[in-house]
Amino acid sequence: MSIETVLHMNTGNGESSYATNSYLQEHGIQRALHVTNEAINRMCNDLGGFPGVFKIADLGCSSGPNALLGISNIISRVHDMCNENNFEVPQFQVFLNDLFENDFNIIFRSLPTFYAKLKNGEGDHCGPCFVSAVPGSFYSRLFPNKSIHLFLSSYAVHWLSRVPQGIENNKCNIYMAKTSPTNVFEAYQKQFEKDFTKFLRLRSQEIIRGGRIVFTIPGRSISDPTSEDCCIIWELLAKSLVDMVKEGRIPESDIDSFNIPYYTPYEDEVRDVIKKEGSFLIDNLYSFALDWEPYNSDNAKMDVVDRPIRGKNTAKLIRAVIEPMMATHFGNSIMDMVFHKFEEHVVHHLSAREGRNFNLVISLTKH
């Protein structure tokens, strides 16, 4: 299957949509905000202010409320910097990028509200903001040479350009797992290194000298590629598919031929690729963990009564991300049943331990 065709979040704003089930990503964006602010501060100091037109590109913007959240935060920080230093507020040109099947329409419908909030927040001195979409893969050129001041990407760069080759022996798994053969781990790592190197090389051509890239991705806290904080959620989903095989609803070969184009790197892997590619310096590399339901209180996390609710919400979150790809491969008719089983596996997992995922925020400067 063509990744560019099937790699998109659930569209619209219904119960299973990404717009309704992206609270984990929202929380991650807010946790990364101080890194973005620091990057803006340093760029302002390096450039002696801001250009007349400040050009920002959000790569892998997806849809829903998070699509403009990072942009709002950036514009707010630029205004604060201008007020603090008596700089002229720039105009803002914002480019929202994602693959062609992304639900850009839901973003466009939210623009009047976005513009109104900007004006209310920044007042009459708010710099004009012009938003447009740039559909296409960030593993290809998207912008002219030296045209972008700041690249932002939240929960996108971990998606690979393709499923790694040569992993047909990853039986009854859909990602790296404890039962995966060694060659599966090697293939995923190799594909990530290839894709991330290309991503950096392309952005180095599009960004101005002294420009910044800030991106947030799910990663893993240890070098072990089967670390629970990155892989357990996909093992639980694979178990749900195996249940379907046992019930005679899908053939086992359907699982064996399905692997997700996704990689959760250890921070040393990220550092190594950046250093080897050579176009950027690392300003900051910050890590943090998030509960699968990050807005739960500590007491709620341990509440037995609350586990089914948390299991249901976590299942909806993952469904919003992966359903279009799974439905293309396995068919729409079994999706409700698969994710019901997945919900049960999540609840069982939460009865024994917490569900957490690990995140990396990386801030880069163009040489």
Side-chain angles (χ1 to χ4, degrees):
M1 59 184 173
S2 170
I3 297 301
E4 293 192 13
T5 302
V6 299
L7 180 51
H8 61 88
M9 309 298 104
N10 270 345
T11 59
N13 54 11
E15 183 180 356
S16 297
S17 68
Y18 183 76
T20 305
N21 297 285
S22 53
Y23 51 85
L24 179 69
Q25 292 86 343
E26 176 190 359
H27 198 67
I29 291 170
Q30 297 293 16
R31 287 286 297 272
L33 180 57
H34 72 281
V35 178
T36 306
N37 287 345
E38 180 184 292
I40 294 169
N41 294 350
R42 290 185 176 187
M43 181 164 53
C44 177
N45 291 334
D46 290 349
L47 298 178
F50 294 101
V53 179
F54 189 54
K55 297 180 181 180
I56 310 161
D58 187 342
L59 304 178
C61 65
S62 192
S63 58
N66 293 344
L68 294 166
L69 177 59
I71 298 300
S72 296
N73 290 337
I74 290 169
I75 292 174
S76 177
R77 183 57 194 155
V78 170
H79 272 273
D80 289 344
M81 288 288 292
C82 290
N83 291 334
E84 293 166 9
N85 296 279
N86 200 29
F87 293 145
E88 183 176 352
V89 178
Q91 300 179 69
F92 298 93
Q93 188 167 13
V94 176
F95 304 98
L96 301 178
N97 158 259
D98 213 310
L99 293 174
F100 298 100
E101 296 297 324
N102 184 56
D103 191 356
F104 286 105
N105 284 334
I106 199 169
I107 305 176
F108 296 151
R109 287 194 290 269
S110 71
L111 283 177
T113 302
F114 168 74
Y115 289 135
K117 286 183 177 179
L118 278 185
K119 187 170 181 61
N120 289 338
E122 309 303 336
D124 294 334
H125 298 291
C126 179
C129 181
F130 307 94
V131 178
S132 59
V134 181
S137 169
F138 50 57
Y139 294 121
S140 62
R141 280 294 299 268
L142 295 168
F143 304 99
N145 290 345
K146 301 178 182 178
S147 60
I148 303 298
H149 299 96
L150 175 61
F151 280 109
L152 178 71
S153 184
S154 301
Y155 298 100
V157 180
H158 61 290
W159 290 106
L160 303 174
S161 66
R162 58 165 300 148
V163 174
Q165 293 180 294
I167 59 172
E168 294 80 6
N169 60 338
N170 196 25
K171 302 296 184 181
C172 293
N173 295 310
I174 62 173
Y175 183 48
M176 299 185 300
K178 292 179 177 62
T179 58
S180 296
T182 302
N183 70 287
V184 173
F185 306 127
E186 295 172 347
Y188 267 102
Q189 196 279 332
K190 183 178 180 180
Q191 188 65 47
F192 168 74
E193 181 177 348
K194 178 181 178 181
D195 284 344
F196 188 39
T197 298
K198 186 174 185 180
F199 174 86
L200 294 172
R201 186 175 68 248
L202 294 170
R203 303 295 82 78
S204 73
Q205 297 169 32
E206 298 167 343
I207 198 168
I208 67 161
R209 183 178 180 182
R212 261 62 177 185
I213 300 178
V214 181
F215 62 97
T216 304
I217 55 173
R220 61 182 192 268
S221 59
I222 58 177
S223 59
D224 180 0
T226 65
S227 170
E228 280 207 355
D229 56 20
C230 71
C231 298
I232 189 63
I233 198 75
W234 304 113
E235 291 188 31
L236 297 177
L237 185 54
K239 282 184 179 181
S240 308
L241 291 166
V242 171
D243 291 343
M244 300 290 283
V245 172
K246 292 176 179 177
E247 295 174 5
R249 299 182 185 277
I250 59 173
E252 186 174 315
S253 59
D254 278 5
I255 305 178
D256 295 343
S257 58
F258 180 80
N259 288 280
I260 58 175
Y262 175 104
Y263 189 70
T264 40
Y266 181 49
E267 69 173 68
D268 285 355
E269 293 177 296
V270 176
R271 291 182 186 275
D272 288 347
V273 175
I274 293 168
K275 182 178 180 180
K276 185 176 179 181
E277 194 280 329
S279 297
F280 296 91
L281 297 175
I282 299 176
D283 283 335
N284 197 344
L285 198 159
Y286 167 68
S287 61
F288 61 92
L290 284 178
D291 288 350
W292 290 345
E293 279 213 297
Y295 295 118
N296 272 340
S297 67
D298 289 340
N299 290 333
K301 285 189 288 187
M302 301 306 296
D303 190 343
V304 174
V305 177
D306 194 52
R307 284 177 194 145
I309 298 173
R310 296 179 61 216
K312 183 179 183 65
N313 289 341
T314 300
K316 288 166 63 178
L317 185 154
I318 297 300
R319 182 173 186 170
V321 170
I322 202 68
E323 183 174 21
M325 189 177 297
M326 288 184 62
T328 300
H329 185 83
F330 296 101
N332 280 305
S333 62
I334 68 165
M335 289 297 102
D336 287 344
M337 189 174 298
V338 168
F339 284 101
H340 177 71
K341 291 179 182 297
F342 177 56
E343 178 185 326
E344 292 177 339
H345 283 300
V346 172
V347 171
H348 179 73
H349 175 80
L350 293 175
S351 69
R353 60 183 67 88
E354 292 183 8
R356 311 194 84 191
N357 76 317
F358 192 75
N359 302 265
L360 298 172
V361 188
I362 301 96
S363 176
L364 305 177
T365 302
K366 177 70 167 68
H367 274 313

